[in-house]
Amino acid sequence: MLPKESLTGRALVALLVFTTTACTFLPVDEKAAQDSLAPPEPSVVTGPQPKPLAPCAWWYGIGARPTSLQLKFAAAHYNLVVLNSWETAALRRLRQLNPKVKVLVYKDFSSTRNYPGTVDGGVDAKYLPTGLGYVATEKAHPEWFAVDTADQRIEWAGYEKHWQMTVWTEAYQRAWTTAVVEEVVREGWDGVLADNDFSSLRFYSPAVLKGTADVEATDRLLRDGFDSFLGIAGDELQKAGKMLIPNVSESHLRPGRWTAHSRYDGAMEENFGLRDDGGNGELLTFRGNEWKELRAQAALGESWLLLVTHTRSPREERVGYATAALLAGPYTCWNGATPDYRNPAWSQYQEAGLGEAVETANRLPNGLWTRQFSSGWVVVNPTSKPAQVTPPGGLVDINGVAVSAPFELPGADAKVLVKPKVGPTTSPVKPPTVPTTTTPPVPPKPAETPVS
């Protein structure tokens, strides 16, 4: 576990230091799934600083029930996996296959739910995607359901039967924490991925909370609530020897929020490397103070940066991986997810072989960011305009094709270059997929944090 004290302060110190080809995700045969690629295990740094290797991989596996092949693939290729609370058999199987993989349980900070699978026959399910059950809460503490100015409960738009809770009240915070810590310890999870640590209700509802004057006051109440909620949950999980990693949203809008909310064991950024298509076309990750805070956390090398890029195109895949490489540290993990998280995600970039970072990321005068690795080099253009860049000599792109020097990099794009591979090439790794005809158990609906 990471000591709570000093981590935030050290992150702020580190923050002050920082002043300055198409690939596809393909469905892995049995042999490839069993390849021995055991990942490292994060811990308090007591010896030499762990090496800042190229981004590791992780899986936000809250879609369909994992298959046997998928679990073998996950054990061999991922450093960290997030599963639904009812996937206790999958948790035990991952423990058998690779004890070093961190396995977190998905729990939602903000809602309780009563869709089928969470409530059946008027009874809460044993394993929930939330901290508290809908039926039990309605009977014992109906005041924990948030209401609007008309005293109506707030159902999230787009997520049927997801109900907003009073995350700002200490009674709810402590009840959630008590239930979640007990379950995590009992079932043997390494910790919690806590979803919906959001800064605004407007992405789920236009409602104004009762007792607040307007939308801005509603959002302030929620943000202040999460600040205290995170401390209560993080402290108790830490006492139990367990991890807390929240899914923090809109960090680029709130200076200091990422640093504060990643202070236990790290944080998740669900819209990493996303282009602001509704604005000026720049990469949102570099906006505001978030990029400095991400770099500060990565530089410490003590906690997880769980990064998700929804790779709907080759450009997004390049940008997501290359931007993660700019942050690469011992526990910087990237996931090029499909939108529903149904299947394990794997990119050919994760097989590129960049090696170890030999310098920190550097910002060029034209706005581009570059970083040199022992076996490669990355460049990211977070601006909306094309810019010229000269790469190191002797490198090729992900497909083995040499690039001209200098070359023009389009706005909101990236390039990953590596040393040419010597000897016969191997086939790309192909993660196993769930057949489209399979009907999975009802999972929690992943709340993909919309971007402002």
Side-chain angles (χ1 to χ4, degrees):
M1 286 298 301
L2 304 173
K4 181 186 174 185
E5 80 252 8
S6 82
L7 184 54
T8 302
R10 291 180 64 189
L12 289 173
V13 170
L15 179 58
L16 294 175
V17 173
F18 289 113
T19 58
T20 58
T21 307
C23 294
T24 56
F25 293 104
L26 300 171
V28 53
D29 57 29
E30 191 83 9
K31 181 179 182 298
Q34 296 180 29
D35 290 342
S36 179
L37 297 174
E41 181 176 1
S43 61
V44 175
V45 179
T46 56
Q49 183 79 0
K51 294 180 178 180
L53 300 175
C56 56
W58 73 290
W59 181 27
Y60 197 30
I62 61 171
R65 171 156 286 167
T67 66
S68 175
L69 272 177
Q70 287 179 334
L71 292 175
K72 290 177 181 177
F73 182 88
H77 294 84
Y78 296 125
N79 291 41
L80 183 145
V81 175
V82 179
L83 296 174
N84 290 312
S85 61
W86 50 86
E87 302 294 358
T88 53
L91 163 66
R92 292 190 292 271
R93 182 59 176 150
L94 281 171
R95 288 271 185 271
Q96 293 172 344
L97 292 168
N98 187 351
K100 290 185 177 181
V101 176
K102 293 294 183 183
V103 190
L104 307 184
V105 62
Y106 174 99
K107 290 291 180 178
D108 186 14
F109 265 147
S110 298
S111 72
T112 192
R113 308 175 186 181
N114 64 332
Y115 52 75
T118 59
V119 174
D120 290 306
V123 178
D124 290 320
K126 178 181 179 181
Y127 297 107
L128 297 168
T130 57
L132 301 177
Y134 179 94
V135 175
T137 304
E138 187 167 48
K139 288 180 179 178
H141 292 283
E143 72 277 11
W144 290 348
F145 286 86
V147 296
D148 61 19
T149 53
D151 281 323
Q152 298 298 306
R153 291 181 181 178
I154 300 169
E155 184 177 16
W156 289 353
Y159 296 96
E160 184 181 3
K161 298 185 178 180
H162 291 51
W163 304 93
Q164 178 64 45
M165 306 303 284
T166 58
V167 296
W168 58 90
T169 60
E170 185 175 351
Y172 171 80
Q173 295 169 355
R174 294 198 177 278
W176 186 99
T177 298
T178 297
V180 169
V181 172
E182 191 279 331
E183 180 179 344
V184 168
V185 171
R186 182 187 72 234
E187 301 297 343
W189 300 98
D190 287 308
V192 178
L193 188 289
D195 199 9
N196 287 308
D197 178 2
F198 53 71
S199 60
S200 177
L201 181 61
R202 68 182 181 276
F203 299 120
Y204 293 130
S205 172
V208 172
L209 291 169
K210 185 177 181 179
T212 63
D214 50 30
V215 170
E216 287 72 23
T218 284
D219 289 345
R220 283 197 300 273
L221 179 63
L222 288 167
R223 286 194 299 271
D224 291 346
F226 281 121
D227 289 345
S228 60
F229 195 170
L230 187 88
I232 288 172
D235 285 352
E236 293 305 312
L237 284 162
Q238 189 175 71
K239 289 176 186 176
K242 302 297 181 178
M243 299 165 60
L244 174 63
I245 297 182
N247 181 6
V248 183
S249 67
E250 290 84 55
S251 296
H252 63 279
L253 300 177
R254 303 285 167 186
R257 190 165 190 269
W258 180 275
T259 299
H261 285 232
S262 65
R263 69 183 183 270
Y264 287 95
D265 299 280
M268 171 183 170
E269 170 56 87
E270 196 173 6
N271 287 295
F272 183 73
L274 190 68
R275 184 175 183 172
D276 184 10
D277 289 327
N280 58 15
E282 296 178 350
L283 297 178
L284 285 171
T285 299
F286 292 80
R287 186 175 295 175
N289 209 54
E290 181 180 14
W291 182 242
K292 292 181 180 179
E293 296 183 50
L294 290 171
R295 293 188 71 205
Q297 182 192 341
L300 288 176
E302 296 181 355
S303 59
W304 297 90
L305 284 85
L306 301 183
L307 311 173
V308 180
T309 304
H310 295 283
T311 52
R312 299 178 179 89
S313 74
R315 184 198 64 81
E316 290 165 335
E317 185 179 356
R318 289 191 302 271
V319 168
Y321 181 82
T323 307
L326 294 176
L327 297 171
Y331 311 119
T332 301
C333 289
W334 178 75
N335 180 333
T338 55
D340 62 1
Y341 304 106
R342 182 181 178 87
N343 290 301
W346 190 256
S347 166
Q348 291 183 38
Y349 286 105
Q350 289 166 314
E351 303 174 62
L354 282 174
E356 180 183 349
V358 298
E359 64 177 1
T360 59
N362 299 295
R363 186 178 185 273
L364 305 182
N366 59 4
L368 273 59
W369 285 82
T370 66
R371 193 176 193 184
Q372 183 81 40
F373 287 77
S374 58
S375 297
W377 175 83
V378 300
V379 58
V380 177
N381 184 357
T383 77
S384 60
K385 298 178 180 180
Q388 292 281 323
V389 63
T390 301
L395 302 180
V396 298
D397 70 13
I398 197 73
N399 297 310
V401 178
V403 296
S404 60
F407 64 86
E408 185 174 86
L409 186 64
D413 208 340
K415 183 77 76 172
V416 177
L417 301 180
V418 294
K419 291 181 178 179
K421 291 182 171 57
V422 178
T425 58
T426 57
S427 300
V429 172
K430 301 178 181 180
T433 60
V434 175
T436 55
T437 55
T438 299
T439 302
V442 177
K445 299 178 182 179
E448 298 176 25
T449 308
V451 176
S452 60

